[in-house]
Amino acid sequence: MKKFVIMTSIVCFMMSAAAGIVHGEEKDSQDKSIQDVNLAPEAESAILMERDTGKVLYKKNANKRLPPASMTKVMSLLLIMEALEEGKIKKDEIIRVSERAASMGGSQIFLEEGEEMSVHNLLKGIAIASGNDATVALAERIAGSEEAFVKKMNKKAKAMGLENTHFNNSTGLPADNHYSTVHDMSVMAKELLKYESITNYTSIYEDYLRKGQENEFWLVNTNKLVKSYPGVDGLKTGYTNEAKYCLTATAEKNGMRVIAVVMGADSTKERNSTVSNMLDYAFNHFETKNLYKKGEKITTLNLLKAEDQYTDVITSESISTIHRKGESTEDISSEAVLSENLQLPIEKGDKVGTLIVKKDGKIVSKSQLVLKQDAESAGYFTLLKRSLQNMAKSS
């Protein structure tokens, strides 16, 4: 496939000795920060990532397969947010709870068979209280059954290049051949955080379902750092006897968002302390410079055979650079590579190119560029009119 390239120079802050990051993978040999600190001495595995660039600031046993417990719901939430974005479900839609969803054990919001609840409130039940019943109810609505939803989860994991993740359910309840890693969980969290409204749910410390009714239910966030650590606004805890205490957390401070994942801690205190240590390290030693906000226009796509010939190409996520505090900075450039020969129709949000951020000719990050609105094939009269206009201009 041919490529069309647009170069844009941008002056921004960037550390002079930054390691090259491609698709969130760091070059350890160039980054002593990963080697010289021990931020998670007691955890089985841990990772610290800056969200926009995907730069890994610290890791320990990053690819060790372990049971993720309820952190599984990071992937479930990702598919739910995708369905909302694509209009397949709506937040005010009312869902009737099945017998199977209502029978889920473990963490739950005590849904009853036949009960009706909005997608909005089911989302709160998952994000705040880690409700297994709420998760299955939404999984069944999106895919028809939990089994079909799990297939979508594994398909998504494969598409994201997550080689050490496999799901057997949507909740994280103990199951054979159900595993992930801190690396894979951080990549899932990075993708989930593209849907910026997710933190409107995961940041809530307490709320109520069925307010004022006899079966009113008090929701309390299982992630206590939402209340105790400034800037923490998600994402998902996990615990089983086998998995021990796990947490995928995210926090934002001074425009920099980081993701910290811990698996296999012996207690909630140890888990929260380890995550806090990693967040402190990130915010004390690094800074980011935002280049583009999510949804920002990068260029315009000329689609000669589309009903609307010119359509904006926008960023699919926030795009930044990262540098150590106090280090020298240099200019960087961004390169928008747009795919030619795109086949109509193209849906809003479909990938039409890649924005490549470079430093000294080396790739720092890659992000998808997407179409701002649907591009439908032009009708006969539109094409005729356009041809006549072009003929008139050339005469």
Side-chain angles (χ1 to χ4, degrees), residues 5 11 22 36 51 67 133 228 254 271 294 335:
V5 179
V11 178
V22 183
D36 292 349
R51 200 226 75 91
D133 45 3
S228 63
N254 297 326
R271 175 187 71 187
K294 180 181 178 181
E335 177 184 352

Side-chain angles (χ1 to χ4, degrees), residues 302-323:
N302 184 353
L303 298 169
L304 187 61
K305 295 183 180 181
E307 190 66 33
D308 295 319
Q309 183 174 350
Y310 299 101
T311 307
D312 288 346
V313 175
I314 61 174
T315 56
S316 62
E317 58 185 323
S318 176
I319 299 170
S320 302
T321 60
I322 184 170
H323 62 277

Side-chain angles (χ1 to χ4, degrees), residues 140-317:
E140 290 176 340
R141 166 61 184 85
I142 291 170
S145 68
E146 187 188 13
E147 290 76 15
F149 187 81
V150 172
K151 288 182 180 179
K152 291 173 72 72
M153 293 170 70
N154 286 318
K155 183 179 179 180
K156 183 70 174 180
K158 185 176 180 180
M160 293 169 65
L162 307 182
E163 298 178 353
N164 293 301
T165 291
H166 185 268
F167 300 111
N168 262 343
N169 57 55
S170 64
T171 60
L173 286 169
D176 292 337
N177 203 34
H178 188 101
Y179 56 82
S180 190
T181 67
V182 290
H183 168 268
D184 287 5
M185 290 305 311
S186 68
V187 175
M188 286 180 238
K190 184 181 189 303
E191 189 72 13
L192 175 58
L193 287 164
K194 289 183 180 179
Y195 302 94
E196 295 174 353
S197 63
I198 188 62
T199 56
N200 294 340
Y201 292 93
T202 58
S203 63
I204 299 171
Y205 183 71
E206 59 181 332
D207 203 343
Y208 288 89
L209 293 175
R210 316 178 189 93
K211 185 73 172 177
Q213 301 178 30
E214 288 185 6
N215 57 346
E216 177 178 288
F217 186 74
W218 183 33
L219 297 171
V220 180
N221 204 315
T222 56
N223 180 9
K224 305 308 178 187
L225 292 180
V226 165
K227 188 174 184 179
S228 63
Y229 193 105
V232 170
D233 51 7
L235 277 167
K236 195 69 206 68
T237 60
Y239 172 77
T240 63
N241 288 334
E242 181 186 12
K244 298 184 180 180
Y245 292 89
C246 309
L247 174 59
T248 297
T250 184
E252 186 174 22
K253 184 177 181 181
N254 297 326
M256 181 172 77
R257 178 173 288 282
V258 295
I259 298 163
V261 187
V262 168
M263 298 180 77
D266 287 330
S267 66
T268 54
K269 181 179 180 181
E270 182 182 292
R271 175 187 71 187
N272 293 348
S273 176
T274 301
V275 168
S276 296
N277 287 342
M278 289 196 287
L279 296 178
D280 286 344
Y281 177 76
F283 294 129
N284 288 338
H285 293 275
F286 295 90
E287 294 176 323
T288 56
K289 176 68 176 181
N290 184 257
L291 304 181
Y292 300 100
K293 299 293 185 183
K294 180 181 178 181
E296 188 169 339
K297 178 182 175 181
I298 299 299
T299 187
T300 300
L301 197 60
N302 184 353
L303 298 169
L304 187 61
K305 295 183 180 181
E307 190 66 33
D308 295 319
Q309 183 174 350
Y310 299 101
T311 307
D312 288 346
V313 175
I314 61 174
T315 56
S316 62
E317 58 185 323

Side-chain angles (χ1 to χ4, degrees), residues 47-172:
I47 198 167
L48 176 64
M49 175 192 287
E50 193 280 317
R51 200 226 75 91
D52 282 6
T53 62
K55 180 175 175 60
V56 174
L57 308 177
Y58 170 79
K59 65 179 183 178
K60 174 184 177 182
N61 297 330
N63 294 311
K64 184 174 183 178
R65 293 179 177 183
L66 294 167
S70 278
M71 292 196 308
T72 297
K73 297 184 179 82
V74 172
M75 178 60 89
S76 297
L77 286 168
L78 173 56
L79 295 184
I80 292 166
M81 296 305 291
E82 282 186 351
L84 283 167
E85 179 89 356
E86 295 168 2
K88 294 178 180 177
I89 57 174
K90 297 184 181 300
K91 288 184 180 180
D92 59 358
E93 178 183 345
I94 303 300
I95 292 177
R96 190 173 188 275
V97 178
S98 71
E99 177 184 6
R100 188 171 190 281
S103 69
M104 288 295 107
S107 301
Q108 55 186 302
I109 58 173
F110 298 99
L111 294 171
E112 296 183 5
E113 180 185 358
E115 181 178 358
E116 296 185 337
M117 185 172 285
S118 68
V119 169
H120 171 70
N121 282 331
L122 288 170
L123 253 176
K124 287 200 295 185
I126 300 170
I128 303 172
S130 193
N132 294 328
D133 45 3
T135 304
V136 173
L138 279 173
E140 290 176 340
R141 166 61 184 85
I142 291 170
S145 68
E146 187 188 13
E147 290 76 15
F149 187 81
V150 172
K151 288 182 180 179
K152 291 173 72 72
M153 293 170 70
N154 286 318
K155 183 179 179 180
K156 183 70 174 180
K158 185 176 180 180
M160 293 169 65
L162 307 182
E163 298 178 353
N164 293 301
T165 291
H166 185 268
F167 300 111
N168 262 343
N169 57 55
S170 64
T171 60

